Amino acid sequence: MGIPSRIIERDTTLSPYSKAIGIHARTIEIVKLTDRHLYEEFGTQSWRNNSMRFYFSGSLTADIKSQPSKDSEFYVPWMLEQTRTVQILTEEYEKTGMGKVDRGWELLDTKVVEREIVQEQAPDGSTNEAKTTTMPTSWVETTMRRAIEGTNKRMGESVVLGTVEMAGEDEDKQYEVKVVRSEFLIASDGGRSTVRHRLNVPFLGRTRDYNLIIFDGHVETDLSLTNIAFINGDNRHSVGMFPIRDNRIRLSLDDGVLTQEQFDARGSKAVDKDYFEKLLQETMGTLKMKVLGYNWLTYYRVNERRAAQFTHKGRIFLAGDAAHCHSPAGGQGMNTGIQDSYNLAWKIAMVLNGTAPQTILDSYNEERIPIAEEIIKFSAKTLDNGLYQSWFSSIMRRLMLSIVPFLTRHLPNGSSRTNFSMLGLRYHQNSLNKSHKSQRYSPSAPASIGQRAPDNTLVPFTAHTLDTAVPRSESLSELEGNPTDKPMTIRLYELLAFPGAFHIIVFAADRLVKEEAFDSDLVKNIDHYQRGWLSRWPGLRGVLDSKSETVVSKKMKSTPQFMVHVITSQTPSTSSNSHNHGTTATATAMANRTAGFGKIYVDCEGGRLHRCYGFKGAARKKNGGGIVVLRPDTHIAFRVSNVDSAAWADVDEYFRSILTAS
């Protein structure tokens, strides 16, 4: 979105440890929405796992296959070790020219500086004395250092995952120290966050009695190296196996329940290789698992914690493990951190561009704290269900898993909206997500306020249209232009791949076919309001007029802040009911419009996407359809029934209520 930034990283080299290895559906969706090349790079480097196998007492009990979903094109996690994920993100980030990763720099302290600026204002043509006014202002001041020789790593520093204590200092090292000023600071500095400690933000929660041993390396086994597997041993311990690449696997071995006193008494013996291999063999039972080599072996004492607040004085924000930590069960950690940043980035960009007031950043705290609590609960439940079991609960779990494969064969391929895929996570009504002032719509209804916008397939109205003027996403012209007679389907989310833009989706039902002059009225409203919004809130053009224009890519230059898409449930030109020539001609002109400026698409399956958004595909008495406003992160911000002038005025009122006055 053209905002300059700087990332400081204490480590001088990339961590060699695999760490997070699963990228869930919502995160993949975010990557694709952000940049197609980034998405393709992740797609090339990662691999897919289509089933999970469960073993009890050495026997395969269940093989659960992933089921496709129409709500998202991504229904299985992409598997990629965090080392490679960080490499890809770093390379793509630095290619933008908007910033770099400065390695070797360690944050020592940070604070928000607040001042009042005194201004003298001389009255024009008046003999009165000049008026003195004060204006409050603030910024972030950060102290950081870099070791002149060696690294910033300290002697005796804890490397055990999940700890939250502060590390000590080394007295003999010499450092280069800098104090830098910035508009904002995002602290994604892990569970032991220096920023969180310096701001005295409580890290609420608990340290569990559960203990895990994490292994990454090469093994010799009779299990498949292409499937995720969970082995439940007769010793009432369990192990999760996650293939990585090059015949490497990740093992998460349940080391049982220990009180804090028992844990302290064990000391360093907990990560002893002999202990690990002995417990592993006992858990595997008759299944073969021989360790050939180690890349990583660490001990994990599970913490479930959340910062008391994620925002400090509207300038400093906690994200990722600095804001929340939990067990690795469910693979939610890295994904939640990326989604924290996705929620925050477009808001900061809008503030710096002058599009939105700084108070919009308060919604980060409002929205991400409930998500963190939900993720912590989900991870805790997953951990409880998957690790140390009593005899009775183990039997019940085995019974349930044995019937799941039979049930899934008969379930509809409807939705991926589970906590695991993270597609079902939602925000609620707040200063950004607003219900209509007079139209009641249940929070549990389809596509209600705060939900992630459902995805599905569409067909461009004119199959032969080759749109060469598509802003931002160069791929849309390829998707919308098809030289054959067969219409090419695209997904709604292909139209949303414009970082930083609001999307106004017009669900026209079948009114383009049924109602005379409906299309001309619709076009007038689209043109009037979109032109007004783009003039009032130009979005990225505010950045492109600055000195940074030389480093912003060409495809960013035409990114609008507001994009309009029209979806009809019935094709005007082919319907037998389409008797009005003016309607058909105008609709055809809409089909030839630039994507994002009122271009028209046809809903597949007789209006399935209409139903996903809570609208009927068939209109009644000129009041069918509706308008849905999607935030730049594709969560639903506002919705209104009908698409007449009054509905458009309501959408305009919504934008005026959340954005900066001109």
Side-chain angles (χ1 to χ4, degrees):
M1 289 178 285
I3 301 298
S5 58
R6 180 182 187 180
I7 295 177
I8 64 168
E9 165 61 56
R10 195 188 72 160
D11 290 343
T12 55
T13 58
L14 183 65
S15 170
Y17 305 131
S18 54
K19 298 186 179 181
I21 58 174
I23 307 175
H24 290 310
R26 177 56 178 166
T27 306
I28 304 169
E29 203 169 67
I30 287 171
V31 170
K32 188 172 183 180
L33 289 167
T34 301
D35 186 88
R36 176 167 287 275
H37 181 267
L38 181 68
Y39 164 74
E40 291 172 349
E41 190 68 20
F42 272 107
T44 300
Q45 295 289 333
S46 60
W47 61 275
R48 319 290 183 267
N49 179 77
N50 291 310
S51 71
M52 291 187 293
R53 297 179 177 179
F54 294 85
Y55 294 82
F56 284 82
S57 302
S59 300
L60 178 63
T61 301
D63 186 1
I64 301 177
K65 306 291 184 182
S66 300
Q67 298 294 314
S69 167
K70 293 181 179 180
D71 185 44
S72 173
E73 61 182 306
F74 310 111
Y75 60 94
V76 295
W78 288 10
M79 308 300 291
L80 186 68
E81 62 269 35
Q82 187 171 316
T83 301
R84 186 60 189 135
T85 296
V86 173
Q87 285 179 331
I88 294 172
L89 290 173
T90 302
E91 290 168 2
E92 293 299 318
Y93 166 64
E94 295 186 343
K95 282 179 184 177
T96 66
M98 290 287 98
K100 62 174 293 187
V101 178
D102 281 342
R103 290 191 169 274
W105 287 99
E106 175 185 18
L107 183 143
L108 292 180
D109 198 7
T110 188
K111 61 184 178 181
V112 175
V113 179
E114 297 174 305
R115 293 282 189 272
E116 285 191 344
I117 299 176
V118 179
Q119 294 180 326
E120 290 189 355
Q121 206 169 26
D124 296 332
S126 173
T127 59
N128 296 331
E129 295 181 0
K131 294 181 179 179
T132 300
T133 60
T134 59
M135 180 179 297
T137 186
S138 64
W139 62 85
V140 180
E141 199 168 270
T142 301
T143 304
M144 61 186 191
R145 72 179 181 183
R146 179 170 58 184
I148 295 175
E149 294 183 1
T151 71
N152 284 348
K153 194 173 183 63
R154 292 176 281 272
M155 294 292 294
E157 181 175 346
S158 172
V159 294
V160 178
L161 296 175
T163 55
V164 294
E165 78 279 358
M166 293 292 289
E169 299 289 331
D170 282 354
E171 296 180 358
D172 298 330
K173 281 188 178 179
Q174 293 184 339
Y175 298 94
E176 173 188 3
V177 179
K178 284 186 177 182
V179 178
V180 297
R181 180 180 292 187
S182 63
E183 292 278 0
F184 301 102
L185 181 139
I186 303 173
S188 54
D189 53 343
R192 294 176 291 173
S193 171
T194 302
V195 174
R196 193 185 64 245
H197 280 85
R198 293 292 184 254
L199 299 179
N200 293 315
V201 177
F203 207 29
L204 310 172
R206 60 179 177 172
T207 299
R208 301 291 300 273
D209 291 336
Y210 286 129
N211 301 277
L212 301 175
I213 302 175
I214 308 296
F215 163 86
D216 174 355
H218 291 84
V219 299
E220 184 179 312
T221 179
D222 51 5
L223 300 180
S224 169
L225 290 177
T226 59
N227 291 100
I228 293 175
F230 298 93
I231 298 95
N232 298 268
D234 288 334
N235 60 351
R236 292 198 297 172
H237 288 258
S238 60
V239 59
M241 187 184 86
F242 308 90
I244 303 177
R245 62 171 66 218
D246 302 325
N247 291 324
R248 275 172 52 207
I249 64 167
R250 158 76 62 79
L251 296 177
S252 178
L253 178 60
D254 161 24
D255 194 25
V257 176
L258 295 175
T259 64
Q260 187 64 47
E261 292 75 16
Q262 291 172 322
F263 174 76
D264 293 338
R266 296 181 68 178
S268 60
K269 294 181 180 180
V271 292
D272 180 82
K273 293 180 180 179
D274 291 337
Y275 175 83
F276 164 68
E277 292 187 25
K278 181 175 182 294
L279 180 59
L280 177 63
Q281 291 304 320
E282 291 173 354
T283 306
M284 296 295 294
T286 58
L287 297 172
K288 181 180 179 181
M289 181 73 73
K290 180 181 179 182
V291 176
L292 301 178
Y294 291 82
N295 285 56
W296 187 33
L297 184 68
T298 190
Y299 196 68
Y300 197 110
R301 180 91 166 154
V302 174
N303 276 280
E304 295 171 355
R305 300 181 182 274
R306 172 183 67 77
Q309 59 191 39
F310 292 1
T311 304
H312 178 72
K313 296 185 177 181
R315 292 283 183 183
I316 298 176
F317 307 92
L318 302 177
D321 289 355
H324 41 73
C325 66
H326 47 78
S327 84
Q332 307 286 295
M334 180 188 72
N335 292 274
T336 306
I338 290 174
Q339 291 169 38
D340 288 342
S341 301
Y342 194 62
N343 178 285
L344 184 59
W346 65 272
K347 298 174 184 177
I348 288 181
M350 291 180 70
V351 171
L352 293 178
N353 287 336
T355 303
Q358 192 168 336
T359 52
I360 198 174
L361 300 175
D362 296 339
S363 64
Y364 176 71
N365 209 59
E366 296 171 348
E367 294 180 337
R368 294 309 295 176
I369 283 181
I371 293 296
E373 292 177 341
E374 187 174 344
I375 293 295
I376 291 171
K377 290 177 182 178
F378 169 73
S379 181
K381 185 176 180 180
T382 304
L383 183 71
D384 292 339
N385 290 337
L387 296 185
Y388 187 86
Q389 301 284 321
S390 67
W391 178 83
F392 177 75
S393 61
S394 181
I395 292 295
M396 292 303 297
R397 184 164 178 257
R398 182 174 184 174
L399 176 63
M400 290 298 298
L401 284 169
S402 65
I403 63 175
V404 166
F406 298 99
L407 293 176
T408 55
R409 296 175 190 174
H410 305 285
L411 293 176
N413 298 343
S415 176
S416 298
R417 287 184 173 275
T418 64
N419 284 333
F420 182 72
S421 69
M422 309 184 84
L423 293 171
L425 297 176
R426 64 167 300 175
Y427 305 133
H428 297 278
Q429 187 167 327
N430 58 25
S431 56
L432 265 178
N433 311 317
K434 298 188 176 184
S435 297
H436 193 276
K437 57 188 176 183
S438 60
Q439 298 176 6
R440 300 188 64 181
Y441 193 77
S442 172
S444 60
S448 61
I449 300 299
Q451 288 185 1
R452 162 199 166 267
D455 190 18
N456 213 293
T457 53
L458 297 168
V459 176
F461 174 43
T462 303
H464 296 294
T465 299
L466 183 60
D467 188 352
T468 57
V470 178
R472 184 65 179 91
S473 180
E474 297 166 346
S475 62
L476 282 182
S477 59
E478 299 173 6
L479 290 166
E480 295 176 358
N482 185 9
T484 69
D485 292 332
K486 183 178 180 181
M488 176 181 287
T489 61
I490 64 171
R491 300 197 72 94
L492 173 63
Y493 267 57
E494 298 285 354
L495 307 179
L496 309 183
F498 295 77
F502 284 94
H503 293 269
I504 299 90
I505 305 180
V506 181
F507 289 91
D510 56 359
R511 296 176 66 177
L512 285 167
V513 174
K514 289 183 176 180
E515 299 177 29
E516 184 176 349
F518 171 80
D519 49 0
S520 59
D521 290 341
L522 179 59
V523 167
K524 287 178 183 177
N525 280 317
I526 291 173
D527 289 347
H528 170 72
Y529 284 103
Q530 189 173 27
R531 185 165 51 245
W533 296 331
L534 293 175
S535 174
R536 187 180 178 91
W537 301 293
L540 285 177
R541 279 180 263 176
V543 172
L544 295 170
D545 290 338
S546 70
K547 296 178 181 179
S548 63
E549 180 173 1
T550 56
V551 293
V552 178
S553 63
K554 289 183 178 180
K555 61 182 179 180
M556 274 185 163
K557 290 186 178 181
S558 57
T559 303
Q561 187 79 64
F562 305 88
M563 305 187 74
V564 180
H565 315 280
V566 179
I567 301 176
T568 176
S569 63
Q570 198 167 347
T571 309
S573 60
T574 60
S575 170
S576 59
N577 295 327
S578 182
H579 56 274
N580 186 279
H581 296 291
T583 300
T584 304
T586 307
T588 303
M590 292 173 66
N592 291 324
R593 285 185 162 218
T594 298
F597 288 84
K599 191 175 181 68
I600 186 170
Y601 301 89
V602 181
D603 197 349
C604 300
E605 300 182 27
R608 187 181 189 280
L609 196 59
H610 277 70
R611 295 190 295 274
C612 288
Y613 279 81
F615 300 111
K616 294 181 179 180
R620 295 181 182 179
K621 297 182 180 180
K622 297 186 178 182
N623 63 353
I627 304 173
V628 174
V629 177
L630 305 187
R631 305 167 5 157
D633 57 7
T634 72
H635 283 266
I636 297 170
F638 181 75
R639 58 178 295 138
V640 56
S641 297
N642 213 333
V643 293
D644 57 10
S645 296
W648 281 96
D650 288 339
V651 174
D652 181 63
E653 183 181 343
Y654 165 76
F655 282 127
R656 290 173 183 270
S657 73
I658 68 165
L659 301 180
T660 305
S662 58

